[in-house]
Amino acid sequence: MLLIISPLSRNALALLILALTSGVLAAAPVIKDSACLDCHSDKDLYKTNTAGKAVALFVDEAKLRGSIHKTNLCVSCHTDLTADHPDDGVAVKPVNCGACHERHSESYGTSVHGIGHSQGKADAPVCSDCHGSHNVVPPASPESALHYSRLAETCGHCHAQAARDVHDSVHGKALAAGYREAPTCTDCHYEHKIAGLRGNTPLKISADVCSNCHASERINTKFNLPNDRVKSFFNSYHGLAAQYGSTTAANCGSCHGWHKVLPSSDPASTIHSSNLVQTCGTCHPGATENFVHSKIHIDADGEAQALDIGGQINWWVRRVYFVLIFGTIGFMLVHNLLLFIKKVRARHRLKDAVLVRMDVSQRFQHAVLAISFIVLAISGFALKFPESWIGKMMGSNEIVRSWTHRVAGVIMLVAGLYHLYYVVRHKAGRQLVKDLFPVPKDAADLAQNARYLAGLSEQKALVGRFGYAEKMEYWAVVWGTMLMGLTGLMIWFKIEVTQFLPRWALEVATAVHFYEAVLACLAIVVWHFYHVMFDPDVYPINLAAWHGRVTRHWQEDEHPLDHSGTGPGTSEKNQPGSGGPQKP
């Protein structure tokens, strides 16, 4: 609905708005800074806060004009001020910095300082305690209380002992020497979301705090520090325990200290040889000199000549055992593999494996499908998880992994198209689909087998050429091939797809592609591998996919109603009307 206003009405409306605006402005006159400085330029002006601490109310105009807020009026921050202040006796409310600095204010609110302030703790720091009040300058300025060279002093107003410890530490000395790489308070405890690290998990402290610097190749190289300290810690008992969720395992600070970190050569260091019994004894009561003089940072890959006597012995022990393990287990694997092959070949050379289950074309299609599926599974998960053992097995080259995956996908799609041609143009293919098509009897067979497996019936379902198990697998492969092919092509040709589809369609395709792959791989392992490998009747493997034949016993037990007449050994028991064998 449109509101049409005449020129006369518009003039009246403008006069009304002007009158209302004038009234508001008249009711809230702007207070000049000079009016505030009439009182606050007095250096002796102060008040006592709720914690009983004297708070100076003096405002140095020169510092105010040099701050980043120099263009603001006093009332820009002190929004509750009125022209009657201070005669009205109303105390000025604390400045709400979040009105302009919303994101920083939200982070502060979740910090130990912000939580303490919200709980009414009078000594909990607020913005002005760290940034200053009227003399706020950028942290990069040497005059700022938050400049890296002055940060320990600023935090030391509340954390005096910690500030003294940092000053005496290697970190504090490096800061005093002008090295910005040395950590300051906020490098470990964060800036606005200040975190108290006591009580944090060993993994968080070691991985998220200390490793930020000590895993840096640039910092380690510049200051001639060992490059392996993070890796060797996580290879140790303490590091492994931390990675697997221990909340009591020692972290970096447990041994080196938190604020007063000193080199091991310093007699005051917690890791000096004279203090190790006491340091280790904190977690290991009764620790002795023999106990503490051992490797904490495990360097399994170090050169023997660079290690102490214990390290050299361990170096040789590991290598001797490498030879023993690979030699002994390798011999066992080769021996048993050859024996396994011999027995499988002997078993499947038996004369009763005479019934043809799969013709040459079907075996060829199955082989292409199986090989392409396995390659797709390995390369796909290597792409998704490049840091996994599967990813490392395929090398570090992402191009190799991606093109291996694409080529295998194309082969599977071509195999799928050939199968479509096969089932349309070939009599055997048409019969295959006909026999694999679901029928009402499949539901009855499933119900009968449920009773049989639960022990409620002595008779399992009697099936023909294909039962519900094979039919479920076949149609799952058809559906999965189409779905994986479609989503895979969308991901491959993403630029072309986004010419006519929104970007989120690719994100959906990626999710479908991944989870369908997980579903397919688990189904193959849990369902298909059981029926063709782990079923006691065919263990260790059903070789019908190789030579196409099955034994008369397996055929009569698994598919008693199969009247296809394939193979030279079809018996009367498989003829129509016989009902097939019955197995208790």
Side-chain angles (χ1 to χ4, degrees):
M1 180 177 179
L2 297 176
L3 181 62
I4 302 175
I5 304 176
S6 66
L8 181 60
S9 300
R10 286 199 297 269
N11 293 336
L13 181 60
L15 290 173
L16 177 61
I17 293 174
L18 179 61
L20 291 174
T21 304
S22 301
V24 170
L25 294 176
V30 175
I31 302 174
K32 296 181 178 181
D33 288 354
S34 57
C36 299
L37 291 172
D38 284 342
C39 296
H40 288 278
S41 60
D42 183 357
K43 296 182 179 181
D44 297 326
L45 187 66
Y46 73 91
K47 72 173 183 177
T48 303
N49 63 13
T50 54
K53 180 180 178 182
V55 179
L57 299 179
F58 167 68
V59 177
D60 188 329
E61 185 177 5
K63 291 183 177 180
L64 176 63
R65 300 309 171 205
S67 75
I68 58 176
H69 293 151
K70 60 186 176 182
T71 58
N72 291 2
L73 298 174
C74 297
V75 291
S76 300
C77 299
H78 300 281
T79 56
D80 59 315
L81 279 177
T82 66
D84 296 329
H85 180 79
D87 297 332
D88 56 5
V90 179
V92 178
K93 295 179 182 179
V95 171
N96 177 22
C97 300
C100 295
H101 306 283
E102 182 178 1
R103 290 191 298 110
H104 302 90
S105 181
E106 289 177 356
S107 295
Y108 163 80
T110 60
S111 70
V112 291
H113 295 162
I115 293 173
H117 181 68
S118 65
Q119 293 174 346
K121 295 182 180 180
D123 59 344
V126 295
C127 305
S128 58
D129 291 316
C130 300
H131 290 271
S133 54
H134 300 97
N135 56 336
V136 179
V137 292
S141 171
E143 297 178 0
S144 171
L146 298 181
H147 188 260
Y148 74 90
S149 62
R150 300 181 59 189
L151 199 55
E153 176 189 350
T154 299
C155 297
H157 292 153
C158 297
H159 306 282
Q161 183 59 52
R164 287 193 292 270
D165 288 344
V166 170
H167 178 270
D168 295 336
S169 72
V170 290
H171 298 153
K173 291 176 181 178
L175 278 172
Y179 292 109
R180 180 60 190 93
E181 291 87 355
T184 64
C185 306
T186 54
D187 289 317
C188 298
H189 294 275
Y190 314 128
E191 291 186 349
H192 290 95
K193 193 177 181 178
I194 303 294
L197 297 179
R198 292 186 185 276
N200 272 268
T201 65
L203 182 62
K204 177 175 178 59
I205 292 174
S206 300
D208 296 346
V209 179
C210 301
S211 294
N212 284 336
C213 294
H214 289 279
S216 168
E217 186 274 338
R218 183 182 67 84
I219 292 178
N220 290 332
T221 301
K222 181 174 181 177
F223 296 98
N224 197 28
L225 298 173
N227 283 320
D228 64 343
R229 282 300 179 255
V230 173
K231 178 183 177 182
S232 57
F233 167 75
F234 283 115
N235 285 336
S236 71
Y237 168 79
H238 297 148
L240 292 171
Q243 292 176 78
Y244 285 97
S246 173
T247 58
T248 58
N251 56 64
C252 306
S254 305
C255 302
H256 294 272
W258 288 275
H259 297 106
K260 196 174 183 178
V261 179
L262 300 172
S264 59
S265 58
D266 191 321
S269 171
T270 53
I271 58 171
H272 187 266
S273 57
S274 62
N275 298 323
L276 282 177
V277 171
Q278 179 182 353
T279 300
C280 297
T282 304
C283 298
H284 304 281
T288 63
E289 289 287 343
N290 286 334
F291 175 85
V292 302
H293 286 103
S294 61
K295 280 286 185 182
I296 301 300
H297 291 265
I298 303 300
D299 181 17
D301 301 322
E303 293 296 330
Q305 60 269 24
L307 304 173
D308 56 18
I309 182 64
Q312 292 182 35
I313 293 174
N314 269 331
W315 189 90
W316 281 107
V317 166
R318 282 193 293 272
R319 273 140 188 85
V320 169
Y321 266 98
F322 285 160
V323 174
L324 284 175
I325 290 170
F326 282 102
T328 304
I329 303 304
F331 165 76
M332 293 177 176
L333 282 173
V334 172
H335 177 277
N336 289 352
L337 178 61
L338 294 175
L339 184 61
F340 179 82
I341 293 172
K342 282 279 187 183
K343 290 189 175 183
V344 170
R345 292 178 63 184
R347 177 172 178 175
H348 288 279
R349 278 200 301 263
L350 295 177
K351 295 181 179 180
D352 63 343
V354 295
L355 301 179
V356 177
R357 178 77 175 166
M358 299 175 67
D359 63 27
V360 175
S361 177
Q362 293 165 4
R363 298 201 300 272
F364 175 76
Q365 293 177 64
H366 179 272
V368 174
L369 175 66
I371 294 172
S372 61
F373 181 90
I374 293 171
V375 174
L376 280 168
I378 293 174
S379 58
F381 285 109
L383 285 167
K384 180 67 175 178
F385 306 106
E387 295 301 319
S388 65
W389 66 268
I390 297 179
K392 294 175 181 177
M393 180 181 68
M394 291 197 65
S396 59
N397 195 319
E398 191 269 343
I399 296 177
V400 171
R401 295 195 296 267
S402 61
W403 275 104
T404 300
H405 193 70
R406 291 168 180 171
V407 170
V410 170
I411 291 174
M412 177 176 278
L413 290 177
V414 171
L417 292 174
Y418 174 77
H419 181 72
L420 179 61
Y421 167 81
Y422 174 76
V423 300
V424 171
R425 299 290 298 173
H426 289 262
K427 179 180 179 181
R430 292 192 293 271
Q431 185 63 45
L432 180 73
V433 173
K434 180 180 179 182
D435 292 339
L436 282 166
F437 202 81
V439 293
K441 184 179 181 301
D442 296 322
D445 290 344
L446 180 60
Q448 176 60 32
N449 270 356
R451 291 191 291 270
Y452 172 73
L453 296 174
L456 302 178
S457 173
E458 297 294 324
Q459 174 68 51
K460 71 176 183 179
L462 303 178
V463 300
R465 184 182 180 189
F466 299 112
Y468 62 83
E470 292 93 346
K471 294 180 181 181
M472 288 171 60
E473 270 200 279
Y474 177 81
W475 293 109
V477 170
V478 172
W479 163 257
T481 302
M482 292 191 299
L483 187 61
M484 294 295 285
L486 174 62
T487 54
L489 290 172
M490 289 177 64
I491 298 168
W492 186 355
F493 299 102
K494 57 179 72 67
I495 301 299
E496 290 77 7
V497 168
T498 51
Q499 299 296 319
F500 56 90
L501 286 179
R503 185 65 175 81
W504 59 259
L506 288 178
E507 296 169 1
V508 173
T510 303
V512 170
H513 197 78
F514 172 69
Y515 289 110
E516 181 68 19
V518 173
L519 176 62
C521 290
L522 291 177
I524 289 295
V525 172
V526 174
W527 189 262
H528 187 68
F529 281 5
Y530 171 78
H531 289 289
V532 300
M533 294 172 62
F534 304 125
D535 186 334
D537 287 339
V538 300
Y539 184 82
I541 191 171
N542 186 338
L543 286 179
W546 177 255
H547 52 53
R549 299 188 304 276
V550 296
T551 65
R552 184 176 286 105
H553 166 75
W554 182 88
Q555 177 77 359
E556 293 175 348
D557 185 56
E558 295 293 330
H559 300 274
L561 302 185
D562 182 7
H563 309 310
S564 61
T566 57
T570 304
S571 66
E572 291 182 0
K573 294 181 180 180
N574 286 333
Q575 296 304 313
S578 67
Q582 294 184 357
K583 181 180 178 181

